[in-house]
Amino acid sequence: GSFVHGLGCFTSEEVVVGPDGALQSAGTWEYKPPLASCVPLSLTVELYENDSNPQGLLSSKASGEPPLLLAASVVTALR
């Protein structure tokens, strides 16, 4: 889900910046999530089994940010 959110954010959201450098677009109010037809047909995900993170809160692992940032690779691939 987070990867698909990033896919839409990085490829279809129009960011408008004014002459003074201030953001003019309304941020998430203008965001249009990708449709099912925009999602890759094959999206393989692997999860680590029985892996621990002793330094995380209650041994938690990141879940949202890594896939969102991975979606930035789509922009690089398109260029």
Side-chain angles (χ1 to χ4, degrees):
S2 185
F3 178 81
V4 174
H5 169 80
L7 183 68
C9 178
F10 292 126
T11 60
S12 63
E13 187 172 351
E14 182 180 0
V15 178
V16 180
V17 180
D20 60 348
L23 185 62
Q24 301 294 312
S25 50
T28 57
W29 289 105
E30 295 176 10
Y31 174 71
K32 307 277 189 297
L35 301 173
S37 60
C38 300
V39 179
L41 293 177
S42 175
L43 185 60
T44 305
V45 176
E46 288 185 34
L47 300 176
Y48 289 121
E49 203 170 314
N50 300 321
D51 194 21
S52 65
N53 179 14
Q55 297 179 352
L57 179 64
L58 300 175
S59 298
S60 64
K61 297 172 211 55
S63 59
E65 292 84 359
L68 177 63
L69 296 176
L70 179 63
S73 64
V74 173
V75 176
T76 306
L78 293 173
R79 287 184 183 171

